[in-house]
Amino acid sequence: MWITSKFKQIVLALKPGRVTLGYPLTPRTAPENFRGRPAWDHTKCLGCGGCADHCPARTILLRDVCPEIRVLLYDGSRCTYCGRCAEICPEKAIVMTPDFELATGSRTDLAQSLELFMLTCSRCGRCYDMENRNAVDRLGLRGYRYDNLEARTVLRRTTERFEPDVLAATETFERPTRMEE
Amino acid sequence: MTQETLLQTLRAEFGAAVTGPDPAAPRRLLLDVERARLPEIARRLIALGARYQVGVGSDDRARGLGFGLIHLFAFDKSGFTTAIRTSAPAETPEFPSITPDIPVAGWTEREYRDLLGFRFPGHPKPKKLILADDWPDGIYPLRKEVPYNLVPPAAEDVAYQLDEAPPGTTMVPVGPFHSSLHEPAHFAVYVDGETIKGCDYRGFMTHRGIEKLCQTQVSYNEIPFVAERICGICGSVHATAYAQSVEEAAGLAVPRRAEFIRVLMLELERIHSHLLWLGVAGHLIGFDTVFMHAWRVREPVMWLSERITGNRKTYGMVVLGGVRRDISPETAEDIRSVLKKVEAEVLGLKAAILKDSLIHKRTKGVGHMPKAEAERWSLVGPVARARSIDIDARRDHPYAAYNELSFDVPTADSCDVWGTVLVRLLEVFESVKIMRQVLDKMPAGPILAAPQEALPAFRHGLSMVEAPRGESVHYVITGEENRPERWRVRAPTYTNLQGVPRMLLDNQFADFPIIVGSIDPCYSCTDRAVVVERGTGRERVWDRAELTTLSRAGGK
């Protein structure tokens, strides 16, 4: 009977009352286990690069600027918040914070970078020689084989129409391979 | 029938044309067949009661094996699958087409025509399927020598040639962007007055190149997270299916507790997906009360997922060898209380809508497709079960912990959209039942047995997971560089969408959205395949300001 269905629908609609939440006027906190913006604790970080190695989005980049200084850059604009970095980290230097209100006009707001002082070998003076020789480098190798800090591997610029000069102006970004035109 | 009797039958009938089984796929019957006799053997398998799943094409030239093509068949009643493999020399990648006999193989063959440059003599519709219209001829992106990030120059003035309109009909375009479809897909619907007389489909506009990316760039344990992003709704299905196929190929044992937790997440996903679909279906027939309330009931499920996994969707639970997060006793209690609430609410929803004459009028007899036709088109999931085809991968090919759980597989015999509504609603209750059993029966123990050494190369693994919208098939051939050599994903929409033109036939044009909606289409799953596309050139580019002015002026 369609008419009883209509009554049931009225009950269905009235019973729960108002369910719309007051957010954002009423703040809402994320649950305990939430995977929000990851944060690095530089006092705990060893610089092993395991996070860069395992990041499915390749959003954690590593570079040794000299034998003593290793730079780690987290580019949050491409992060998928899978939490793999925090899980992998042997020193628990990464935690997934409950921060989720991350909308911003500038991608640098989401980035975090660490400059890590790496101990050098007292005998040879350089342990981290970018060669595939020691355990720490082997851990991180796969993470930065394709990436480096200057040429971030993303190119996404939106303009109202296609502008070849805008494209040309983005030369600092690595572009996908182009065929001979 | 068992794998052995099937093997004997095939050997007796085809003799030396069938060799194998290949030990690379120990649990599956992987047979090598003679290329010329492929259609015959495929036809025989169908006659023996097999259901065609999908084809897997691969580029094995680096190993001196030319090109390979594996067709997968499932024997649902007997609970096993078989794969027949053919190969062709690198210079002439030509395979006889099986599409005239098995229409649902049409897309597979067109896909490899585009991606690997195979030729299929005898294919009834050898048109582009996947690649952009302006993609240059002779570049086959899935071939190994083509880099994953290749971008060929765009071309102007090329367009897909739609099928010719049947005589006496007019073409109405639906899409590429249409308010009822939510995702890009282009249907050319041929109508005679209000009645649909035919339909051509041009989709695959959202390729993300996931298979190619994962075969060339990322490693085994990163792929579950990429796989999860194949689909926004049944992500856990794809992650689980991928992990299971690698585990099968490499012979990894998964702790029992992890398998139970995987089932828990899959069923939670099914509840949310069916409620989402119910809401969308209500919306498509203009019944927004259903939409609002189905989604209201669904919201606690999303919050529960967030509490269990840390995210509403893309749970990120599955890795090779197990799961990442355990279910604590408190979480189990939380799940029970949410299930109780959701079950009561869905009962109320069911009572309120199933007897509504409006829903009956808009769904009964709409999208009618008889059982025989549905079998011919290999429909899967609720779309098949609404046509009294009693298949469900959870029961027929048990994976994870399903062999220990008891549940019913609801079917309907109305063969129309109404049946799919009914089946999906009943499945929600079955999912609740399964989740309760999981919580009761889940053994204690570890949740992850991470692989300790490199996985063996060139082993085959197949996994079927019953997604909310039907059976998802993942096929993995393991590789040498810590990543698969070949990973083939077949989402359920890939087969169901091929049956849509038949479902639309002789229906009213106004019912188009709900008929397409009844398969719960997920274009991004289906389009997952290869290489980022660029839009086709248009004659005139409208910029945002112009479009805004135009829309405000009422189109003048």
Side-chain angles (χ1 to χ4, degrees):
Chain A
M1 271 300 287
W2 71 271
I3 191 81
T4 49
S5 281
K6 289 293 166 211
F7 281 120
K8 281 179 184 160
Q9 283 161 20
I10 292 170
V11 175
L12 183 79
L14 289 178
K15 205 171 142 198
R18 182 184 164 144
V19 293
T20 309
L21 301 171
Y23 183 83
L25 296 175
T26 325
R28 233 174 114 66
T29 48
E32 199 185 333
N33 290 325
F34 186 73
R35 305 195 307 261
R37 178 182 61 83
W40 273 254
D41 182 346
H42 72 277
T43 57
K44 288 187 186 166
C45 180
L46 290 173
C48 73
C51 49
D53 186 9
H54 286 87
C55 177
R58 294 273 188 271
T59 190
I60 305 165
L61 314 173
L62 272 189
R63 178 145 198 230
D64 293 350
V65 290
C66 65
E68 288 88 9
I69 296 180
R70 170 169 279 189
V71 178
L72 182 150
L73 179 90
Y74 158 71
D75 174 6
S77 62
R78 284 198 292 136
C79 182
T80 61
Y81 306 97
C82 65
R84 191 76 175 139
C85 48
E87 190 179 67
I88 288 297
C89 183
E91 293 300 306
K92 300 286 162 246
I94 310 170
V95 287
M96 300 304 281
T97 64
D99 302 351
F100 64 92
E101 291 162 315
L102 302 174
T104 172
S106 161
R107 59 193 282 183
T108 52
D109 291 352
L110 297 172
Q112 190 182 353
S113 93
L114 307 185
E115 282 180 26
L116 301 161
F117 182 71
M118 306 297 279
L119 268 184
T120 51
C121 172
S122 56
R123 200 171 58 191
C124 69
R126 41 178 307 185
C127 267
Y128 303 101
D129 54 359
M130 301 297 285
E131 294 291 331
N132 188 10
R133 281 187 205 149
N134 60 64
V136 171
D137 271 351
R138 275 204 301 278
L139 255 174
L141 187 74
R142 244 179 296 136
Y144 60 94
R145 189 161 56 183
Y146 308 104
D147 304 335
N148 64 65
L149 298 192
E150 285 75 31
R152 296 206 207 158
T153 49
V154 213
L155 167 75
R156 281 292 176 268
R157 281 272 202 102
T158 309
T159 50
E160 286 189 338
R161 47 173 83 223
F162 179 73
E163 311 270 8
D165 44 321
V166 171
L167 192 68
T170 53
E171 269 177 8
T172 50
F173 292 85
E174 188 186 330
R175 261 195 294 283
T177 322
R178 294 206 151 256
M179 293 177 58
E180 292 299 314
E181 301 264 338
Chain B
M1 196 190 311
T2 62
Q3 288 193 349
E4 287 74 40
T5 53
L6 174 70
L7 188 59
Q8 281 161 9
T9 317
L10 290 179
R11 277 196 179 136
E13 287 177 31
F14 298 100
V18 177
T19 48
D22 190 328
R27 279 185 52 204
R28 314 282 177 187
L29 203 56
L30 175 59
L31 302 171
D32 285 289
V33 303
E34 211 175 275
R35 187 157 49 127
R37 304 190 71 181
L38 178 64
E40 239 179 292
I41 296 169
R43 215 162 31 225
R44 185 73 188 110
L45 284 171
I46 295 290
L48 286 168
R51 177 171 57 83
Y52 181 77
Q53 289 180 303
V54 76
V56 184
S58 58
D59 176 359
D60 305 326
R61 285 173 300 165
R63 288 187 282 149
L65 299 172
F67 289 100
L69 179 64
I70 306 174
H71 286 297
L72 305 176
F73 293 86
F75 287 85
D76 297 307
K77 295 268 183 313
S78 319
F80 69 91
T81 68
T82 183
I84 52 174
R85 176 169 61 187
T86 43
S87 55
E91 311 77 52
T92 50
E94 220 172 77
F95 295 89
S97 173
I98 60 168
T99 308
D101 303 312
I102 307 169
V104 78
W107 276 19
T108 292
E109 297 189 339
R110 283 168 71 187
E111 177 167 343
Y112 295 124
R113 180 187 168 273
D114 284 9
L115 302 181
L116 283 165
F118 292 179
R119 286 186 299 275
F120 293 95
H123 193 290
K125 190 176 174 178
K127 285 172 143 187
K128 258 187 183 170
L129 177 74
I130 298 234
L131 293 178
D133 298 321
D134 61 348
W135 186 271
D137 290 332
I139 298 173
Y140 304 111
L142 216 50
R143 289 194 176 181
K144 298 277 185 214
E145 74 270 16
V146 179
Y148 81 102
N149 54 4
L150 177 91
V151 181
E156 303 284 325
D157 300 327
V158 277
Y160 179 74
Q161 290 301 310
L162 291 166
D163 284 355
E164 215 154 280
T169 60
T170 314
M171 195 266 276
V172 180
V174 181
F177 295 99
H178 189 263
S179 54
S180 72
L181 295 179
H182 315 291
E183 282 179 277
H186 181 81
F187 290 88
V189 185
Y190 302 110
V191 293
D192 178 8
E194 285 286 318
T195 314
I196 300 175
K197 289 292 176 197
C199 165
D200 191 15
Y201 173 76
R202 173 68 173 148
F204 292 87
M205 294 166 196
T206 48
H207 296 193
R208 291 159 289 167
I210 287 179
E211 282 176 10
K212 180 83 177 178
L213 185 77
C214 292
Q215 284 163 216
T216 57
Q217 296 299 306
V218 295
S219 59
Y220 277 125
N221 237 342
E222 289 165 320
I223 298 180
F225 302 96
V226 183
E228 196 155 47
R229 282 157 179 85
I230 289 175
C231 179
I233 295 180
C234 49
S236 199
V237 165
H238 287 292
T240 309
Y242 162 77
Q244 285 180 357
S245 52
V246 175
E247 284 153 7
E248 182 184 298
L252 294 175
V254 183
R256 196 65 182 153
R257 187 176 176 83
E259 294 190 322
F260 271 91
I261 295 176
R262 283 182 182 176
V263 170
L264 194 73
M265 296 325 294
L266 291 173
E267 294 304 321
L268 193 63
E269 198 165 68
R270 189 179 323 276
I271 295 176
H272 109 74
S273 175
H274 280 351
L275 287 171
L276 179 141
W277 178 83
L278 184 66
V280 171
H283 179 68
L284 289 179
I285 58 171
F287 194 173
D288 273 357
T289 310
V290 177
F291 169 60
M292 293 290 182
H293 287 278
W295 283 45
R296 171 181 62 75
V297 175
R298 171 179 173 262
E299 194 58 19
V301 179
M302 308 307 285
W303 290 341
L304 176 67
S305 311
E306 197 177 28
R307 290 196 293 274
I308 301 174
T309 70
N311 213 338
R312 288 166 64 91
K313 274 307 306 166
T314 49
Y315 303 142
M317 285 289 268
V318 180
V319 283
L320 290 191
V323 293
R324 290 168 67 200
R325 286 190 182 187
D326 204 355
I327 304 288
S328 67
E330 298 80 57
T331 313
E333 270 320 297
D334 189 11
I335 296 171
R336 276 182 215 277
S337 67
V338 173
L339 284 183
K340 196 174 164 192
K341 194 158 164 266
V342 168
E343 192 181 24
E345 293 257 33
V346 178
L347 267 177
L349 203 60
K350 185 177 158 225
I353 63 170
L354 278 196
K355 292 225 171 84
D356 193 303
S357 55
L358 184 134
I359 294 200
H360 288 225
K361 281 185 178 154
R362 287 302 308 272
T363 58
K364 279 196 171 166
V366 171
H368 188 268
M369 184 173 183
K371 185 182 176 189
E373 280 289 300
E375 273 174 345
R376 204 167 86 83
W377 283 96
S378 288
L379 295 189
V380 290
V383 193
R385 293 195 281 274
R387 290 166 175 87
S388 58
I389 301 175
D390 192 8
I391 53 168
D392 190 320
R394 294 175 291 173
R395 184 197 57 199
D396 301 335
H397 309 276
Y399 50 92
Y402 281 109
N403 52 1
E404 253 182 73
L405 305 165
S406 65
F407 56 95
D408 296 326
V409 178
T411 56
D413 55 6
S414 63
C415 302
D416 54 11
V417 176
W418 166 252
T420 65
V421 178
L422 205 63
V423 166
R424 285 197 174 95
L425 261 173
L426 295 176
E427 278 184 12
V428 173
F429 299 108
E430 294 303 318
S431 291
V432 171
K433 203 163 99 184
I434 293 173
M435 286 180 72
R436 288 204 177 115
Q437 289 178 54
V438 167
L439 293 176
D440 291 338
K441 291 186 178 169
M442 193 155 58
I447 55 164
L448 180 64
Q452 296 301 318
E453 44 200 59
L455 306 183
F458 306 120
R459 303 281 289 274
H460 294 233
L462 166 73
S463 165
M464 284 168 279
V465 170
E466 187 74 17
R469 33 177 74 72
E471 167 212 59
S472 281
V473 180
H474 282 227
Y475 199 87
V476 164
I477 303 174
T478 55
E480 284 170 318
E481 293 176 16
N482 196 26
R483 63 174 73 100
E485 162 84 8
R486 182 77 179 93
W487 172 40
R488 170 69 153 115
V489 180
R490 199 228 56 200
T493 306
Y494 194 84
T495 50
N496 284 346
L497 204 52
Q498 295 185 65
V500 161
R502 176 62 189 78
M503 270 181 230
L504 287 169
L505 209 61
D506 294 326
N507 276 279
Q508 292 295 295
F509 185 70
D511 290 329
F512 174 86
I514 185 63
I515 295 174
V516 175
S518 78
I519 71 162
D520 200 358
C522 184
Y523 300 119
S524 58
C525 291
T526 308
D527 295 1
R528 92 257 90 86
V530 169
V531 177
V532 180
E533 284 189 295
R534 293 171 60 144
T536 48
R538 289 202 190 141
E539 285 179 358
R540 166 144 160 52
V541 180
W542 299 83
D543 68 20
R544 203 177 107 200
E546 284 174 309
L547 284 174
T548 315
T549 324
L550 196 72
S551 64
R552 285 187 185 147
K556 278 172 197 137

